[in-house]
Amino acid sequence: MRPYNNSDKEQLIEIFNLNIPEFFDSKELNEYIGYLEIMGDTYLAIEFESKLIGGVGYEIRESDKSGRINWIFVHPDFSGLGHGKRAVEHCLKILKTDPKVESLIIRTSQHAYKFFEKLGYHIINTEKDYWANGLDLYLMEQRI
C-alpha cells in the first residue's frame, strides 16, 4: 500500500473498467475520477509485487463523526487473495485512531456486503437498483 500519485490515474481507470458491470456501473467512472481529483490525498494504491492492482480511499466526515471507506477495488486477476482485506484493514486502522470518528460507514452492493460483514460491519439499510439496474445499495456501519 502506498499513497496515490496522479501517475496512477490511467492504470486505476483501466482496473476500474475491469470491475464493470459486476461491481460498478459505467456511469460511476466520472464520479470516481472526480473523487481522485478532490480526495487523492487520502487515496491509496494497492500494490502486489511492485504492480498496481487496485485502490482504496478513506475519509473522515466531521459532520456525522464517521470514517468512510471509498472506491475500493482490485484487478479481477487478484480478487479473493486478501489484497482488498489488507487495504480496508489499513484504512480502518487510520480511521479508528482518529478521535473525531465514532462510527465507520461503507456504501457497497450486494456483491461485496458479505466481505464487510466479516470485518465487523452490519447492514443498516438497503435500496434496490441504487447504483444502477441490478446494483443495490447496502449501507453498512460499524460502531467503534
Side-chain angles (χ1 to χ4, degrees), residues 101-119:
V101 176
E102 295 179 2
S103 68
L104 302 166
I105 303 289
I106 186 75
R107 296 182 332 148
T108 191
S109 74
Q110 71 271 27
H111 302 294
Y113 82 93
K114 288 190 180 288
F115 168 83
F116 289 100
E117 279 184 333
K118 291 176 186 175
L119 294 171

Side-chain angles (χ1 to χ4, degrees), residues 79-140:
S79 180
L81 301 175
H83 302 293
K85 181 180 179 185
R86 180 175 48 92
V88 170
E89 287 175 342
H90 179 83
C91 292
L92 292 177
K93 184 176 178 182
I94 294 168
L95 293 170
K96 287 178 177 181
T97 60
D98 192 301
K100 296 181 290 283
V101 176
E102 295 179 2
S103 68
L104 302 166
I105 303 289
I106 186 75
R107 296 182 332 148
T108 191
S109 74
Q110 71 271 27
H111 302 294
Y113 82 93
K114 288 190 180 288
F115 168 83
F116 289 100
E117 279 184 333
K118 291 176 186 175
L119 294 171
Y121 285 85
H122 65 276
I123 299 168
I124 56 176
N125 190 36
T126 61
E127 188 174 331
K128 188 159 180 55
D129 298 329
Y130 179 86
W131 306 109
N133 189 29
L135 280 175
D136 306 338
L137 167 68
Y138 277 64
L139 181 62
M140 302 180 77

